[in-house]
Amino acid sequence: MSTVNKTVSGVEVVTISNIPGRDITENLGIVFGSSVQSRSFLFDIFATFRNMFGGEIRAYTKLLDTAQKEAVDRMARQAEAIGADAVVDVHFSTSQIAYKAAEIFAYGTAIKLK
Amino acid sequence: MEELLVPAILLSCLIGIAFITGRIADRLHETALSRDEAALPRQDISTDEDFPGEINMIYSQMVSGCVVIGEDRFRNLLSRLRVFVGGTLVAHDAAIERAQREAMLRMRVQAKSATHIVGVRFVSASLGRGMIEMAAYGTALFTDKKPAGGAPSTLPKRAIEVKRKSLLLELFSASTSFALLCWLVYTASGFMTEWATHQISVEDEIAIWSEVTEGETDWPKRSDAERYPVERYLRDLILSIPKEALGEAAAYDFDVFVIPNDIPNAAALPGGRILVHTGMLDLVETENELLAVLGHEIGHYNGRDHLEGLGRSVVGVALSAMLFQTDAVLTVWIAGWPKILADLHYSRSQELDADIWGLDIAMAKYGHAGGVSGVFEKLGYGAPEEGVLDYLTTHPHPMERVRILDAMIAKRDLPVKDGIPLEQAFADYLANIE
């Protein structure tokens, strides 16, 4: 994943504190998006074996990737709803709500550009 | 079945109550959040770590706020089903978002007169599974200005309502996929155990079974003197069948146990032990009918059907343990099901195959097929009406078995003669052994 994402909603999402080459006119506050994903128990069994012998567990990599993208997407949709042009200074954090499920949330500052 | 019904009702009640109380709690929190957010002044909040240049600072202070929201039993069920089948867990979406808003609200309450809160971060802890924890922290900047009044700095409603499936819809979709997946696994485990049971030789089965039951069985190997005369008669009846008619089952050292029970039934246990209810002995009138019943049980040994039920229940228990490992009530309830499913006797095709074995064995012993279908006809009188339900249950209706057996006898053009009356056969046997 790159640090600059053009999301489905057209809001620019960056992990730095400004959009290079553009001026920020207004700070609209914090926007937030989260996603909890899981794979079926069949993948869980497979992953348990993989974990025993080493190597990348692709099923879980994909899971994490999906969760991350969805969290960013939801955050961007929220930003779009309040009329933002971009989300800057985005951070991620994780948590565990349910056993064998990945929870990721993304948050950043929604801004208007000149 | 009853032992599963009561916990099922209790669990449904608990989950039903949790659904109602959980939704009330959700609604109350939502309302309280919107009210409290509207009461706060407009502040410049950002995740940016940079210090805004154009302000006159008085002082700065770290502020933080956190919240833990419990999931209810209903959402717990939803997330468990969803984790099992895989996919997006929508059960907690709304709660996570409310947790974030609540944490930020509590952080802002600590610095009502600050104009800026910068460098805001969120973290989540893991107090317990299902609980939704959120902590927010940041640096509040107090300047020579007051925070701007008027416009409340809350998110508009359309920004909060991200596309979200309703919880009941999620319950439907998750439980449907769950049921489908369980059915698939159950069927697959049937094929797997069928393959596996045919890899185990009869000798191994007897050896394993005697290991398993050692110490707790009250059925040690018996001598003829220890058997009741009826049990001796039944066993010798099996021994009198020509060996070549027994197929693989010839390797078993058969023993027959008569159980005092009025329900006409017989069962094949691992290791070659056949149980016959007294009700079955009362029902049959000729030795030929009795042999058809015993032949049917021997047919189950040939199909290794008795092991298959065991294999399925092992798979079922393993699955339920994987799924509900942390929940005592639910585990006990779920773990009961595989046993019930395994106890559903054998599948229709297994029963019908065993019937054919019974027919072949009777042919080998007596040279005619008299009485083979007769016993099922008698069983049929006590059985409920034939109907649609028969196709749903795994056990074929006795009348259907009679039809299939009679059709088989007609097709092979087998001779049908009168059987030997059971009382006379037994009297002859007793006279012989004395």
CSV table of all heavy atoms in Angstrom, one decimal, chain B residues 272-299:
chain,number,residue,atom,x,y,z
B,272,GLY,N,-18.0,-56.7,17.2
B,272,GLY,CA,-18.8,-57.9,16.9
B,272,GLY,C,-19.9,-58.3,18.0
B,272,GLY,O,-20.3,-59.4,18.1
B,273,ARG,N,-20.2,-57.3,18.8
B,273,ARG,CA,-21.3,-57.6,19.8
B,273,ARG,C,-22.6,-57.1,19.3
B,273,ARG,O,-22.8,-55.9,18.9
B,273,ARG,CB,-21.0,-56.8,21.1
B,273,ARG,CG,-19.7,-57.4,21.8
B,273,ARG,CD,-19.5,-56.8,23.1
B,273,ARG,NE,-18.5,-57.5,23.8
B,273,ARG,CZ,-17.2,-57.1,23.9
B,273,ARG,NH1,-16.9,-56.0,23.3
B,273,ARG,NH2,-16.3,-57.8,24.6
B,274,ILE,N,-23.6,-58.0,19.2
B,274,ILE,CA,-24.9,-57.7,18.7
B,274,ILE,C,-25.9,-57.7,19.9
B,274,ILE,O,-25.9,-58.6,20.7
B,274,ILE,CB,-25.3,-58.8,17.6
B,274,ILE,CG1,-24.4,-58.7,16.4
B,274,ILE,CG2,-26.8,-58.5,17.2
B,274,ILE,CD1,-24.7,-59.8,15.4
B,275,LEU,N,-26.6,-56.6,20.0
B,275,LEU,CA,-27.7,-56.5,21.0
B,275,LEU,C,-29.0,-56.8,20.4
B,275,LEU,O,-29.3,-56.3,19.3
B,275,LEU,CB,-27.7,-55.1,21.6
B,275,LEU,CG,-26.4,-54.5,22.2
B,275,LEU,CD1,-26.7,-53.1,22.8
B,275,LEU,CD2,-25.8,-55.4,23.2
B,276,VAL,N,-29.8,-57.6,21.0
B,276,VAL,CA,-31.2,-57.9,20.6
B,276,VAL,C,-32.1,-57.7,21.7
B,276,VAL,O,-31.9,-58.2,22.8
B,276,VAL,CB,-31.3,-59.4,20.1
B,276,VAL,CG1,-32.7,-59.7,19.6
B,276,VAL,CG2,-30.3,-59.7,19.0
B,277,HIS,N,-33.1,-56.8,21.5
B,277,HIS,CA,-34.1,-56.6,22.5
B,277,HIS,C,-35.1,-57.7,22.6
B,277,HIS,O,-35.4,-58.4,21.6
B,277,HIS,CB,-34.9,-55.3,22.2
B,277,HIS,CG,-34.1,-54.0,22.4
B,277,HIS,ND1,-34.6,-52.8,22.2
B,277,HIS,CD2,-32.8,-53.9,22.8
B,277,HIS,CE1,-33.7,-51.9,22.5
B,277,HIS,NE2,-32.6,-52.5,22.8
B,278,THR,N,-35.6,-58.0,23.8
B,278,THR,CA,-36.6,-59.0,24.0
B,278,THR,C,-37.8,-58.7,23.2
B,278,THR,O,-38.5,-59.6,22.7
B,278,THR,CB,-37.0,-59.2,25.5
B,278,THR,OG1,-37.3,-57.9,26.0
B,278,THR,CG2,-35.9,-59.8,26.3
B,279,GLY,N,-38.1,-57.4,23.0
B,279,GLY,CA,-39.3,-57.0,22.1
B,279,GLY,C,-39.1,-57.6,20.7
B,279,GLY,O,-40.1,-58.0,20.1
B,280,MET,N,-37.9,-57.7,20.2
B,280,MET,CA,-37.7,-58.2,18.9
B,280,MET,C,-37.9,-59.7,18.9
B,280,MET,O,-38.5,-60.3,17.9
B,280,MET,CB,-36.2,-57.9,18.5
B,280,MET,CG,-35.9,-58.4,17.1
B,280,MET,SD,-36.9,-57.7,15.8
B,280,MET,CE,-35.9,-56.3,15.3
B,281,LEU,N,-37.5,-60.4,20.0
B,281,LEU,CA,-37.7,-61.8,20.0
B,281,LEU,C,-39.2,-62.2,20.1
B,281,LEU,O,-39.7,-63.2,19.6
B,281,LEU,CB,-37.0,-62.4,21.2
B,281,LEU,CG,-35.5,-62.3,21.2
B,281,LEU,CD1,-34.9,-62.8,22.5
B,281,LEU,CD2,-34.9,-63.1,20.0
B,282,ASP,N,-40.0,-61.3,20.8
B,282,ASP,CA,-41.4,-61.5,20.8
B,282,ASP,C,-42.1,-61.3,19.5
B,282,ASP,O,-43.1,-61.9,19.2
B,282,ASP,CB,-42.1,-60.5,21.8
B,282,ASP,CG,-41.6,-60.8,23.3
B,282,ASP,OD1,-41.2,-62.0,23.5
B,282,ASP,OD2,-41.7,-59.9,24.1
B,283,LEU,N,-41.5,-60.4,18.7
B,283,LEU,CA,-42.1,-60.0,17.4
B,283,LEU,C,-41.9,-61.1,16.4
B,283,LEU,O,-42.9,-61.4,15.6
B,283,LEU,CB,-41.5,-58.7,16.9
B,283,LEU,CG,-42.1,-58.0,15.7
B,283,LEU,CD1,-43.4,-57.3,16.1
B,283,LEU,CD2,-41.2,-57.1,15.1
B,284,VAL,N,-40.7,-61.7,16.3
B,284,VAL,CA,-40.5,-62.6,15.2
B,284,VAL,C,-41.2,-64.0,15.5
B,284,VAL,O,-41.3,-64.4,16.7
B,284,VAL,CB,-39.0,-62.9,15.0
B,284,VAL,CG1,-38.3,-61.6,14.5
B,284,VAL,CG2,-38.3,-63.4,16.2
B,285,GLU,N,-41.6,-64.6,14.5
B,285,GLU,CA,-42.4,-65.9,14.7
B,285,GLU,C,-41.6,-67.1,14.2
B,285,GLU,O,-41.8,-68.2,14.6
B,285,GLU,CB,-43.7,-65.8,14.0
B,285,GLU,CG,-44.7,-65.0,14.7
B,285,GLU,CD,-45.9,-64.6,13.9
B,285,GLU,OE1,-46.1,-65.2,12.8
B,285,GLU,OE2,-46.6,-63.7,14.3
B,286,THR,N,-40.7,-66.9,13.2
B,286,THR,CA,-39.9,-68.0,12.7
B,286,THR,C,-38.4,-67.7,12.8
B,286,THR,O,-38.0,-66.6,13.0
B,286,THR,CB,-40.2,-68.2,11.2
B,286,THR,OG1,-39.8,-67.1,10.5
B,286,THR,CG2,-41.7,-68.4,11.0
B,287,GLU,N,-37.7,-68.8,12.8
B,287,GLU,CA,-36.2,-68.7,12.9
B,287,GLU,C,-35.7,-67.9,11.7
B,287,GLU,O,-34.7,-67.2,11.8
B,287,GLU,CB,-35.6,-70.1,12.9
B,287,GLU,CG,-34.1,-70.1,13.3
B,287,GLU,CD,-33.5,-71.5,13.3
B,287,GLU,OE1,-33.3,-72.0,12.1
B,287,GLU,OE2,-33.3,-72.0,14.3
B,288,ASN,N,-36.4,-68.0,10.5
B,288,ASN,CA,-35.9,-67.4,9.3
B,288,ASN,C,-36.0,-65.8,9.5
B,288,ASN,O,-35.1,-65.1,9.1
B,288,ASN,CB,-36.8,-67.7,8.1
B,288,ASN,CG,-36.9,-69.3,8.0
B,288,ASN,OD1,-37.2,-70.0,8.9
B,288,ASN,ND2,-36.5,-69.7,6.8
B,289,GLU,N,-37.1,-65.4,10.2
B,289,GLU,CA,-37.2,-63.9,10.4
B,289,GLU,C,-36.1,-63.5,11.3
B,289,GLU,O,-35.5,-62.4,11.1
B,289,GLU,CB,-38.6,-63.6,11.0
B,289,GLU,CG,-39.7,-63.8,10.0
B,289,GLU,CD,-41.1,-63.6,10.7
B,289,GLU,OE1,-41.1,-63.4,11.9
B,289,GLU,OE2,-42.1,-63.6,9.9
B,290,LEU,N,-35.9,-64.3,12.4
B,290,LEU,CA,-34.8,-63.9,13.3
B,290,LEU,C,-33.5,-63.8,12.6
B,290,LEU,O,-32.7,-62.9,12.9
B,290,LEU,CB,-34.8,-65.0,14.4
B,290,LEU,CG,-33.9,-64.7,15.6
B,290,LEU,CD1,-34.3,-63.4,16.3
B,290,LEU,CD2,-33.9,-65.8,16.6
B,291,LEU,N,-33.2,-64.8,11.7
B,291,LEU,CA,-31.9,-64.7,11.0
B,291,LEU,C,-31.8,-63.5,10.1
B,291,LEU,O,-30.7,-63.0,9.9
B,291,LEU,CB,-31.7,-66.0,10.2
B,291,LEU,CG,-30.3,-66.2,9.7
B,291,LEU,CD1,-29.4,-66.7,10.8
B,291,LEU,CD2,-30.2,-67.0,8.5
B,292,ALA,N,-33.0,-63.1,9.6
B,292,ALA,CA,-33.0,-61.9,8.7
B,292,ALA,C,-32.5,-60.7,9.5
B,292,ALA,O,-31.8,-59.8,9.0
B,292,ALA,CB,-34.3,-61.7,8.1
B,293,VAL,N,-33.0,-60.6,10.8
B,293,VAL,CA,-32.6,-59.5,11.7
B,293,VAL,C,-31.1,-59.6,12.0
B,293,VAL,O,-30.4,-58.6,11.8
B,293,VAL,CB,-33.4,-59.5,13.0
B,293,VAL,CG1,-32.9,-58.5,13.9
B,293,VAL,CG2,-34.9,-59.3,12.7
B,294,LEU,N,-30.7,-60.8,12.4
B,294,LEU,CA,-29.2,-60.9,12.7
B,294,LEU,C,-28.4,-60.7,11.4
B,294,LEU,O,-27.3,-60.0,11.5
B,294,LEU,CB,-29.0,-62.3,13.2
B,294,LEU,CG,-29.6,-62.6,14.6
B,294,LEU,CD1,-29.4,-64.1,14.9
B,294,LEU,CD2,-29.1,-61.8,15.7
B,295,GLY,N,-28.9,-61.2,10.3
B,295,GLY,CA,-28.2,-61.0,9.0
B,295,GLY,C,-28.0,-59.5,8.7
B,295,GLY,O,-27.0,-59.0,8.2
B,296,HIS,N,-29.1,-58.7,9.0
B,296,HIS,CA,-29.1,-57.3,8.8
B,296,HIS,C,-28.0,-56.6,9.6
B,296,HIS,O,-27.2,-55.8,9.1
B,296,HIS,CB,-30.5,-56.7,9.2
B,296,HIS,CG,-30.5,-55.2,9.2
B,296,HIS,ND1,-31.0,-54.5,8.1
B,296,HIS,CD2,-30.2,-54.3,10.1
B,296,HIS,CE1,-30.9,-53.3,8.3
B,296,HIS,NE2,-30.5,-53.1,9.6
B,297,GLU,N,-27.9,-57.0,10.9
B,297,GLU,CA,-26.8,-56.5,11.8
B,297,GLU,C,-25.4,-56.9,11.2
B,297,GLU,O,-24.5,-56.1,11.3
B,297,GLU,CB,-27.0,-56.9,13.2
B,297,GLU,CG,-28.3,-56.5,13.9
B,297,GLU,CD,-28.6,-55.0,13.7
B,297,GLU,OE1,-27.6,-54.2,13.8
B,297,GLU,OE2,-29.7,-54.6,13.6
B,298,ILE,N,-25.3,-58.1,10.8
B,298,ILE,CA,-24.0,-58.6,10.2
B,298,ILE,C,-23.7,-57.7,9.0
B,298,ILE,O,-22.6,-57.4,8.7
B,298,ILE,CB,-24.1,-60.1,9.9
B,298,ILE,CG1,-24.2,-60.9,11.2
B,298,ILE,CG2,-22.8,-60.5,9.1
B,298,ILE,CD1,-24.5,-62.3,11.0
B,299,GLY,N,-24.7,-57.4,8.2
B,299,GLY,CA,-24.6,-56.5,7.1
B,299,GLY,C,-24.0,-55.2,7.5
B,299,GLY,O,-23.1,-54.6,6.7
